[in-house]
Amino acid sequence: MTMTPEQARWFAETFDKLVQSVGQAVLGKHEVIRLVLTAMMAPGHVLLEDAPGTGKTSLARSIAATVRGTSSRIQFTPDLLPSDVTGVTIYDQSSKSFVFHQGPVFADVVLADEINRASPKTQSALLEVMEEGRVTVDGVTHDVGSPFIVIATQNPIEQAGTYRLPEAQLDRFLLKASIGYPDHASSVQILQGAAIRDRSSQLSPRISLQAVDDMTQLASTVHADPAVLEYVSRLMEETRMAPEVRVGVSIRGAIALMRAVKVWAAVNGRHYVVPDDVKHLVEPVWLHRFVLDPEAEFAGSTAASVMAKILSEVAPPQARQHTS
């Protein structure tokens, strides 16, 4: 079953309401809000690399409030244990049985703050939950539920004492983005409401968690022409053959891009994917998956410059008329 034009219009209108709602708490950042909500409905997880105080926590809380979901925040530190993330089984003397106590990962929107400050073992515990959607403790499996999105953050500064995320783990994130500082007008508006400590607490739910799941299922039915699939495949292959790149995009990265562009097409009121959807999302979905050659990196090459060159060299397919 393929999404209909009417369903695409409903999807776009509903999505826009979500963006507008979250935008009341995270001012002037509609593009990054759209990206994170796209990841949620793809479904997938987001890595935010940003300076402190740019609104990462507000973004996570606002999304949870808008979809009538739960949110949690995990501050990653060097002494954080895997059980501090996933939960632990404790013996209950009154019932004479072991009882599982859920960790903070059991929420609809989980903010993993400064993920690179925790040990690789603790990072892996979170990444396993992200991939599997469930936690196994003492041989018992516990589902984290749906929808489920992890918004992990790492600061580009103060790298001393941190554990860099390996490239294989970065590949687990659907996309990487940056909120950035607000513009002048938004900064003034934020200062005017400085007495409000948590803007997300003032948001009213716009849709239910079930509606988010329904939108996720609906987005997966967006039509992708074989020519678009060919285009994505060629782009993927070019990332592997680029002389500046040591490791290019995997097939998992290509699948992630297709899931994201289907949502993006619906966000724009279309029931079919166009090449511009691919061009718009290829950088946030793919750039963090590149492993550049050290010599090329030293010479000034970046993942963005390599991707821009590939996009200019690989011709997109010609647009076709869609009437149904």
Side-chain angles (χ1 to χ4, degrees), residues 48 100 108 113 126 141 176 207 216 281 304:
L48 294 178
F100 177 67
D108 301 304
D113 212 4
L126 175 65
T141 299
K176 181 181 178 183
I207 61 174
T216 299
L281 292 183

Side-chain angles (χ1 to χ4, degrees), residues 37-305:
L37 287 173
T38 294
M40 187 179 197
M41 295 177 184
H45 308 283
V46 178
L47 178 63
L48 294 178
E49 186 171 82
D50 238 321
T54 52
K56 300 182 287 288
T57 302
S58 294
L59 176 62
R61 288 177 177 171
S62 300
I63 290 175
T66 300
V67 300
R68 207 188 299 270
T70 58
S71 68
S72 66
R73 178 179 178 272
I74 310 171
Q75 179 62 56
F76 278 67
T77 55
D79 60 348
L80 193 73
L81 299 174
S83 59
D84 295 329
V85 174
T86 58
V88 64
T89 300
I90 299 176
Y91 184 74
D92 186 348
Q93 291 187 339
S94 60
S95 64
K96 297 189 182 332
S97 62
F98 286 94
V99 179
F100 177 67
H101 292 257
Q102 294 182 347
V105 78
F106 285 85
D108 301 304
V109 183
V110 178
L111 180 70
D113 212 4
E114 297 186 290
I115 187 175
N116 55 330
R117 293 202 176 278
S119 68
K121 187 174 184 179
T122 303
Q123 290 178 8
S124 297
L126 175 65
L127 291 160
E128 184 178 358
V129 183
M130 288 165 51
E131 184 71 15
E132 303 293 335
R134 55 182 179 267
V135 171
T136 302
V137 177
D138 296 332
V140 181
T141 299
H142 309 270
D143 289 328
V144 295
S146 176
F148 171 62
I149 180 173
V150 172
I151 302 176
T153 75
Q154 58 181 8
N155 295 333
I157 59 174
E158 297 179 352
Q159 294 299 312
T162 63
Y163 300 87
R164 182 185 178 193
L165 286 173
E167 284 76 9
Q169 293 185 7
L170 284 173
D171 198 38
R172 304 286 180 178
F173 291 96
L174 181 82
L175 60 85
K176 181 181 178 183
S178 173
I179 297 178
Y181 292 116
D183 57 28
H184 177 72
S186 297
S187 296
V188 172
Q189 192 175 350
I190 291 170
L191 293 175
Q192 287 174 339
I196 305 173
R197 293 186 60 85
D198 183 10
R199 289 176 177 269
S200 64
S201 62
Q202 299 183 327
L203 301 181
S204 300
R206 293 299 182 94
I207 61 174
S208 65
L209 291 174
Q210 182 59 51
V212 175
D213 280 338
D214 292 342
M215 291 178 75
T216 299
Q217 293 297 322
L218 189 59
S220 67
T221 66
V222 170
H223 175 70
D225 193 271
V228 174
L229 303 180
E230 177 76 19
Y231 181 52
V232 171
S233 182
R234 286 182 61 201
L235 291 174
M236 174 185 65
E237 292 162 3
E238 288 296 326
T239 67
R240 301 171 185 171
M241 294 187 288
E244 303 92 342
V245 179
R246 175 173 288 183
V247 179
V249 175
S250 67
I251 191 66
R252 176 163 57 195
I255 293 171
L257 180 60
M258 285 309 306
R259 292 208 317 262
V261 297
K262 284 188 173 188
V263 177
W264 197 256
V267 165
N268 288 280
R270 281 181 280 100
H271 61 289
Y272 56 90
V273 175
V274 298
D276 281 348
D277 297 327
V278 176
K279 291 181 180 180
H280 192 92
L281 292 183
V282 70
E283 289 197 2
V285 177
W286 276 6
L287 293 194
H288 63 286
R289 304 171 193 269
F290 283 24
V291 179
L292 294 178
D293 182 83
E295 291 186 8
E297 199 168 8
F298 183 76
S301 293
T302 63
S305 65

